[in-house]
Amino acid sequence: MKKTDVLIIGAGAAGLMAAYKLVKVGKTVTVLEARNHTGGRIHTLNNQLFFQHAEQGAEFVHGNLPVTLNLLKEAGIPYHSANAAMWRYHNGQFEENMQFIEEWDELLARLEELQHDIPINEFMEQAFPGDKYARLRSNIWDFVSGYDTADPRDASTFALRNEWKNEDMEAQHRIAGGYCTMIKYLADTCKAAGNAIVLNAIVNKIQLLPNGIKVFTTDEVAYEADKVIVAVPLGVLKAAGGEQGAIVFDPPIPDYSKAMQQLGFGAIIKVLLEFDEAFWESETVTAMVGTSLKNMGYLFSKEAIPTWWTQIPQRSTLLTGWLGGPAAFDKKDASAEDILKLALTSLANIFKIDADTLKDKLIAWYVANWTADPLTRGSYSYDTIHSSEARKIMNSPVENKLFFAGEYLYDGAAIGTVEAALSSGSGVAGCVL
């Protein structure tokens, strides 16, 4: 049993950022990671013949986010714009528009009038009732479910108001080589200083002792440290004792356990489809649409897999499908083959191309069902009306030796992002010192 200054559970962005900051000031760390690779919900697929720098999980830098971009600059990792045209397929028609919610300004004005926080679905039903606003209510449900992967019946209106007021859709970026280049930089820095990152180490028990903490893994290895940072996904913390990946605290920490349950954690299924050609740029599709889709970056629809994007402005034959929120949760137990069928049917309905024809054009496909993954159990966090108070509890250490880190503990407009994870990891490292 090896003792270290700080033991970190989870080698995702938050855990590795905490380790990186601690190593920089001379602390020894050991990082335990349940998976067979670092990165957590960041995992870049990279094959010479297909899926070049395709992202299973986190893909975009949503805005000019200082922690992320400064880290990339420090590591010498380039990034490029992901800005591209937005299209919608609705009622059999394609339309290009940056703003698909026609009553957006009216919505923001009504949001500003709200004095007490309520779930966004409740707000929409109260503020925009009747048939006149049926499409607006539907669009907001889709937006909150898709972009925030949240349940609109549970998501905080105040938090969404803050997010929407600060969103910069003109500043979207992708990292050259994928997000794993950043993860590798953090991990390599830690290992170069003599610190260990232990893979396939699934923690199932954390024991608080009078003079430190013991951490036990499912393969019955014990680790000891003066201080421990728990940087696993919120979905894992929410898991009931006895479920795969769940962590038991001994003795129990009831206030923290209650706070974990009060924080929102979304659902997501991401589909990667690489075709033998960019069929959406074909002359047949161009004739059907009435204009070329060569500039299409994002495509929104009402199909079973509603959201799609290309790699524009980079040229690629990869299409990424995205299903979030309650609809993703409802399909979490579906097989990868069933999800693929839904994806191809959705594209067939949009582009009027037979699903079997599209299947024959595939050269690679992958379904990332993060909600069914026992080591993740969802996508990323969203605020409920209880999140503010719950976050205060989770951001306070237990007996000044057990700390929590993760994107769900970030309090700002970039909630649910890698920026949020990096910020939390950096912040908790400062608290540990």
Side-chain angles (χ1 to χ4, degrees):
M1 183 167 59
K2 180 182 177 182
K3 187 171 182 178
T4 187
D5 290 336
V6 183
L7 186 66
I8 299 173
I9 304 171
L16 288 178
M17 187 63 164
Y20 173 79
K21 291 291 186 179
L22 291 168
V23 166
K24 286 286 190 178
V25 295
K27 295 291 184 181
T28 61
V29 302
T30 297
V31 183
L32 304 180
E33 169 53 47
R35 301 181 186 276
N36 62 2
H37 58 83
T38 58
R41 283 164 284 173
I42 292 173
H43 191 49
T44 307
L45 301 177
N46 196 8
N47 186 288
Q48 288 184 337
L49 300 179
F50 50 84
F51 283 156
Q52 294 185 28
H53 315 318
E55 299 285 17
Q56 237 181 280
E59 181 167 347
F60 300 97
V61 181
H62 293 290
N64 293 320
L65 304 177
V67 179
T68 304
L69 297 186
N70 286 339
L71 181 61
L72 293 175
K73 181 179 179 181
E74 180 180 319
I77 300 172
Y79 57 92
H80 56 262
S81 172
N83 291 340
M86 293 186 179
W87 286 78
R88 179 177 292 276
Y89 177 76
H90 181 70
N91 289 337
Q93 301 293 321
F94 285 83
E95 58 179 342
E96 182 181 2
N97 197 333
M98 285 298 292
Q99 183 172 300
F100 292 111
I101 299 177
E102 296 174 359
E103 303 91 343
W104 187 252
D105 291 338
E106 183 180 356
L107 172 63
L108 292 181
R110 295 297 297 272
L111 285 169
E112 287 297 332
E113 298 171 1
L114 187 65
Q115 298 298 312
H116 303 285
D117 199 8
I118 57 175
I120 186 65
N121 194 59
E122 183 178 340
F123 167 78
M124 293 302 299
E125 290 177 346
Q126 291 180 5
F128 297 97
D131 293 342
K132 177 182 177 181
Y133 293 108
R135 184 178 179 185
L136 173 62
R137 293 195 303 274
S138 176
N139 285 341
I140 292 300
W141 178 283
D142 292 346
F143 189 33
V144 173
S145 298
Y147 190 78
D148 297 278
T149 70
D151 187 335
R153 295 163 295 195
D154 191 41
S156 159
T157 301
F158 278 5
L160 290 166
R161 179 176 67 184
N162 184 48
E163 175 188 320
W164 294 341
K165 286 169 60 178
N166 289 280
E167 185 69 56
D168 186 1
M169 295 304 294
E170 295 298 318
Q172 304 294 315
H173 315 285
R174 283 191 182 93
I175 298 172
Y179 254 117
C180 273
T181 57
M182 182 190 74
I183 291 295
K184 185 177 186 299
Y185 172 74
L186 294 173
D188 286 351
T189 302
C190 294
K191 289 189 286 188
N195 299 280
I197 298 177
V198 184
L199 302 178
N200 299 310
I202 303 175
V203 171
N204 61 358
K205 183 178 179 181
I206 298 175
Q207 187 175 38
L208 282 79
L209 303 171
N211 298 311
I213 300 183
K214 280 186 179 179
V215 171
F216 300 86
T217 62
T218 54
D219 53 0
E220 299 182 348
V221 177
Y223 297 82
E224 189 172 353
D226 295 326
K227 298 186 178 184
V228 170
I229 298 173
V230 179
V232 301
L234 177 60
V236 172
L237 293 177
K238 283 174 166 279
E243 293 186 343
Q244 185 180 357
I247 298 173
V248 173
F249 295 91
D250 179 24
I253 48 174
D255 289 347
Y256 293 81
S257 296
K258 180 181 178 182
M260 295 169 193
Q261 300 303 327
Q262 292 177 325
L263 294 161
F265 198 60
I268 193 64
I269 297 174
K270 188 176 186 181
V271 185
L272 304 177
L273 303 180
E274 182 134 3
F275 294 92
D276 56 9
E277 63 173 351
F279 68 84
W280 53 95
E281 298 180 5
S282 69
E283 292 182 1
T284 301
V285 171
T286 298
M288 179 188 69
V289 175
T291 187
S292 173
L293 295 181
K294 286 186 177 181
N295 70 333
M296 182 183 73
Y298 308 91
L299 176 63
F300 304 97
S301 73
K302 291 288 187 179
E303 294 296 326
I305 306 296
T307 302
W308 295 89
W309 61 77
T310 69
Q311 296 293 300
I312 293 294
Q314 306 292 316
R315 308 309 302 181
S316 172
T317 60
L318 174 66
L319 266 184
T320 300
W322 183 264
L323 176 66
F329 186 83
D330 290 345
K331 292 180 176 62
K332 67 181 177 64
D333 296 323
S335 68
E337 289 74 17
D338 285 344
I339 297 298
L340 172 64
K341 185 176 180 180
L342 279 178
L344 291 174
T345 300
S346 297
L347 291 174
N349 291 340
I350 294 170
F351 291 102
K352 305 299 184 286
I353 300 173
D354 185 76
D356 288 335
T357 300
L358 290 175
K359 188 174 184 179
D360 289 341
K361 296 178 74 61
L362 281 175
I363 60 173
W365 65 276
Y366 187 88
V367 173
N369 188 345
W370 291 100
T371 309
D373 186 332
L375 301 179
T376 305
R377 297 177 175 270
S379 54
Y380 41 83
S381 65
Y382 64 89
D383 272 4
T384 70
I385 62 175
H386 304 293
S387 287
S388 181
E389 291 303 314
R391 217 168 12 239
K392 289 178 183 177
I393 294 171
M394 295 297 294
N395 274 320
S396 302
V398 182
E399 299 177 8
N400 201 37
K401 55 189 175 186
L402 178 62
F403 300 76
F404 293 91
E407 45 83 18
Y408 66 96
L409 293 179
Y410 168 88
D411 187 9
I415 185 172
T417 63
V418 176
E419 173 82 1
L422 294 172
S423 299
S424 176
S426 179
V428 79
C431 294
V432 167
L433 295 174

